[in-house]
Amino acid sequence: MQPATALWDTVTGPQPSSCSTPTHQSSRAEVMVHSCLRDQSGAVSPPSLNLSSCYTAMPDDNLLHVDGQAGVDPETMPANTAAFPPLVADDTRAAGHPTMKPNKRTSSQRRMLQLQHSPFRAQNCWTFLWTVLLFNAMGCIQSIRCKPKSFRDSIVILELNATIDSNPTSIDETSGVVLRYRTPHFRANARILVPPVAAKETWTIGWIQACNHMEFFNTYGDKGMSSWELPDLRDGKIQAISDSDGVNYPWYGNTTETCTVIGPTKKDSKFVVSMNDNFYPSVTWGVPVSDSNVPQLSSIFRDQSFTTWLVAINQATSETLVLQTIRWRMRLDIKVDPEKPLGQRAVLKEPVAQVQPQILGKNEPIPPNAMIKPNANDAQVLMWRPKTGDPVVVIPPKY
């Protein structure tokens, strides 16, 4: 609470002398109260021109200066201005009355009085405090906004497509030794955006593919059949096997199939990774374990399923991020009449058009065997399974 001081009415009161000190008492007897002045009848007097004068001498170093103006030292300011003795011009006691003793105040009271007698200082303190809080909040927001995202959170798939060509499987009977066929292509491509990479790290983004299921039978009438098999997959020992190119494990390929980002980078990196896959095998007209080339091939049946992943791998830590998962399947059924002339023997049966790939809404993890050797081409074996007798390995695995 700010103590009130004696007020001088410049209209009705006496005029000051040359020493700026009133020469006689005001017509109103003013008493010291908290926050207001009252006259003899007890009524609160309206505020007049505030001329606050303290005549107690104070050292210069105790004076409070605000915006270039001298203030009041709360330690030496009298508690009651009514205690001042009458002062006249040239009074030797104007420098300080020896009997006056300032009231003792606590440090918190002194600080409050300083603020009360220094409105500019109080305003500046609140302004300073608000500025500090504002900049602190802005710093927190800025630190959150500018905190670099992880690679997992920052990489963006701008566009992704997965299709199987609509053209049917083509059959080639130009050779008298083998029948060849070419299936439509499975194609996948993705347009990727990688924002600036702050860390010194290397990421490779590309396609990984694995075979989940394979049935591949070539029937030779009543003699038996040959089959390409993946023994561990056939026997349920593994869930999938790598379909890598056999060189750039675990990637399907290393040309259009992958792209490498080496950090730190200052700009966005945009690129496309793409892959395609199809079957183009040769099947002998005669029984594989026979020296005879007499045509006996009667049918070809193939049903294979694959999972293809769009993946980002940290080259230093091997951290693997699955960005997208695709499933697709290729089915084939060809009937052959070996008695007919070459060029007229084979007929493509249903399905002529393949079911389009499925882009999964929820990614699937990559099985361990899809990331390592061997790949499907090196692990497969060609078996001859006669109608009677034991199976024979015609072509063993390469690994």
Side-chain angles (χ1 to χ4, degrees):
M1 182 77 69
Q2 178 180 355
T5 56
L7 300 180
W8 178 27
D9 192 332
T10 58
V11 177
T12 60
Q15 298 299 313
S17 65
S18 60
C19 65
S20 299
T21 304
T23 57
H24 58 276
Q25 294 290 342
S26 168
S27 61
R28 292 182 296 165
E30 298 175 333
V31 294
M32 185 66 153
V33 295
H34 285 293
S35 303
C36 60
L37 293 173
R38 300 180 183 273
D39 56 19
Q40 291 177 342
S41 64
V44 178
S45 62
S48 300
L49 180 64
N50 189 349
L51 297 179
S52 175
S53 300
C54 295
Y55 295 94
T56 302
M58 296 178 289
D60 291 342
D61 57 355
N62 287 338
L63 293 178
L64 180 63
H65 295 274
V66 179
D67 295 337
Q69 299 180 0
V72 181
D73 184 358
E75 192 66 54
T76 59
M77 190 187 78
N80 193 334
T81 56
F84 278 113
L87 295 177
V88 296
D90 300 327
D91 196 326
T92 58
R93 291 179 296 176
H97 194 278
T99 62
M100 293 170 56
K101 294 183 181 295
N103 289 348
K104 295 298 182 179
R105 295 180 173 85
T106 65
S107 60
S108 61
Q109 290 174 327
R110 288 197 301 270
R111 286 194 296 270
M112 182 62 70
L113 285 172
Q114 286 176 343
L115 291 178
Q116 289 174 338
H117 285 273
S118 305
F120 294 105
R121 178 174 179 177
Q123 181 179 4
N124 290 342
C125 287
W126 283 112
T127 302
F128 175 75
L129 178 59
W130 173 253
T131 302
V132 170
L133 293 175
L134 178 62
F135 275 94
N136 184 60
M138 291 176 63
C140 293
I141 296 173
Q142 183 76 3
S143 64
I144 294 174
R145 184 173 62 181
C146 295
K147 183 179 179 180
K149 292 183 178 180
S150 66
F151 192 87
R152 177 191 296 271
D153 296 331
S154 63
I155 189 169
V156 178
I157 302 176
L158 300 176
E159 183 180 0
L160 187 141
N161 295 294
T163 61
I164 295 178
D165 293 347
S166 59
N167 58 283
T169 297
S170 61
I171 301 172
D172 180 5
E173 294 186 34
T174 57
S175 170
V177 178
V178 295
L179 176 149
R180 297 185 180 93
Y181 63 87
R182 188 190 299 270
T183 66
H185 283 80
F186 161 78
R187 303 181 190 275
N189 63 81
R191 190 158 61 95
I192 306 296
L193 168 66
V194 177
V197 178
K200 186 178 181 181
E201 54 188 9
T202 300
W203 288 85
T204 299
I205 300 93
W207 298 102
I208 295 175
Q209 181 165 280
C211 178
N212 312 105
H213 173 79
M214 183 170 78
E215 295 178 72
F216 188 178
F217 309 128
N218 306 312
T219 305
Y220 293 83
D222 58 359
K223 301 294 183 181
M225 70 177 185
S226 65
S227 63
W228 286 99
E229 302 173 10
L230 295 166
D232 288 347
L233 188 63
R234 177 197 65 202
D235 298 339
K237 295 180 180 179
I238 58 176
Q239 294 179 334
I241 188 167
S242 170
D243 199 25
S244 168
D245 62 0
V247 177
N248 301 286
Y249 286 94
W251 307 107
Y252 183 78
N254 195 32
T255 52
T256 64
E257 294 85 3
T258 61
C259 183
T260 299
V261 177
I262 302 175
T265 58
K266 296 182 179 180
K267 298 181 179 179
D268 291 349
S269 301
K270 291 183 180 180
F271 50 88
V272 174
V273 287
S274 61
M275 63 161 289
N276 65 81
D277 189 13
N278 78 322
F279 310 145
Y280 185 39
S282 299
V283 182
T284 59
W285 293 109
V287 175
V289 294
S290 171
D291 293 332
S292 172
N293 288 329
V294 175
Q296 299 187 61
L297 179 64
S298 58
S299 69
I300 300 172
F301 175 83
R302 189 166 186 173
D303 186 357
Q304 280 186 257
S305 298
F306 299 87
T307 303
T308 307
W309 294 271
L310 180 62
V311 180
I313 297 180
N314 187 307
Q315 296 301 313
T317 65
S318 297
E319 179 183 0
T320 301
L321 309 178
V322 177
L323 307 177
Q324 191 65 64
T325 307
I326 302 170
R327 286 181 180 173
W328 63 282
R329 180 183 184 187
M330 190 72 73
R331 299 170 63 196
L332 179 72
D333 189 3
I334 298 175
K335 299 302 182 183
V336 180
D337 184 352
E339 301 296 329
K340 289 186 176 181
L342 189 65
Q344 302 176 20
R345 297 172 181 169
V347 178
L348 179 65
K349 298 295 184 178
E350 293 292 340
V352 175
Q354 302 297 321
V355 175
Q356 290 299 307
Q358 180 184 11
I359 300 175
L360 303 187
K362 183 178 180 181
N363 286 320
E364 294 184 348
I366 305 175
N369 288 88
M371 302 288 287
I372 59 175
K373 296 181 179 181
N375 67 349
N377 287 339
D378 290 344
Q380 66 183 354
V381 297
L382 179 61
M383 301 292 298
W384 170 249
R385 297 185 178 277
K387 290 284 187 177
T388 59
D390 296 329
V392 177
V393 176
V394 179
I395 300 177
K398 296 179 181 178
Y399 76 98

